[in-house]
Amino acid sequence: AIHQYHVSTNSSRCWRASNTRSFSSTTTARYHSSSPSSSNSIPDEFQKSYRLTGIGKKSAVTLTTTDTGHVIQTDVPKSIGGDDTAPQPVELLLAAWLGCTQATAVFVGRQMEPRILLESLEFDVVAIRDQRG
């Protein structure tokens, strides 16, 4: 199934993302993604890799290890078979997008001449997705 998310902020800009997911018929699945290879177009001195390890059980996923030592959890609402013990994955996706936007704005502001020191940004995000999957 292809899932499309449409996200807009208070401005007229929109962000769209699509992903394709496939699931095997087995009850246990392993996903492995290796770190970036040196054959990519980013010079080694500018590469930053991230590693997350975790376990998915029923509707919930717990990432037990991140490079920074944080624990991240996701779940889905009870209405669709989850336990509602943590944010939905799409909520974390949107939060990550806002976090990257904030971090990028701070970084760019520091690089400018004269320097711009960003104190805060306010976000109001509305995301709409097709409930049919």
Side-chain angles (χ1 to χ4, degrees):
I2 296 177
H3 299 276
Q4 290 189 340
Y5 301 99
H6 175 78
V7 179
S8 63
T9 61
N10 282 335
S11 69
S12 61
R13 292 178 296 176
C14 294
W15 173 77
R16 290 184 185 269
S18 297
N19 69 351
T20 303
R21 299 183 306 170
S22 62
F23 298 94
S24 66
S25 60
T26 60
T27 56
T28 303
R30 291 189 179 269
Y31 175 76
H32 176 71
S33 177
S34 59
S35 59
S37 70
S38 58
S39 64
N40 68 31
S41 62
I42 303 171
D44 288 346
E45 66 268 18
F46 298 111
Q47 289 185 23
K48 170 66 176 147
S49 66
Y50 299 87
R51 180 170 182 171
L52 305 172
T53 59
I55 299 172
K57 292 184 180 180
K58 297 183 183 179
S59 64
V61 171
T62 300
L63 298 172
T64 54
T65 306
T66 67
D67 287 343
T68 55
H70 295 283
V71 174
I72 301 169
Q73 296 179 313
T74 66
D75 201 351
V76 295
K78 290 181 180 184
S79 63
I80 58 172
D83 291 325
D84 202 18
T85 60
Q88 295 179 54
V90 71
E91 292 171 314
L92 292 180
L93 172 69
L94 296 170
W97 175 54
L98 297 177
C100 286
T101 301
Q102 176 82 15
T104 300
V106 169
F107 176 80
V108 170
R110 287 182 184 157
Q111 303 302 313
M112 295 180 73
E113 289 293 330
R115 252 181 148 178
I116 298 173
L117 299 178
L118 183 66
E119 288 187 11
S120 69
L121 288 178
E122 291 185 13
F123 298 97
D124 182 13
V125 175
V126 175
I128 299 169
R129 71 177 176 91
D130 189 331
Q131 288 283 73
R132 297 171 292 180

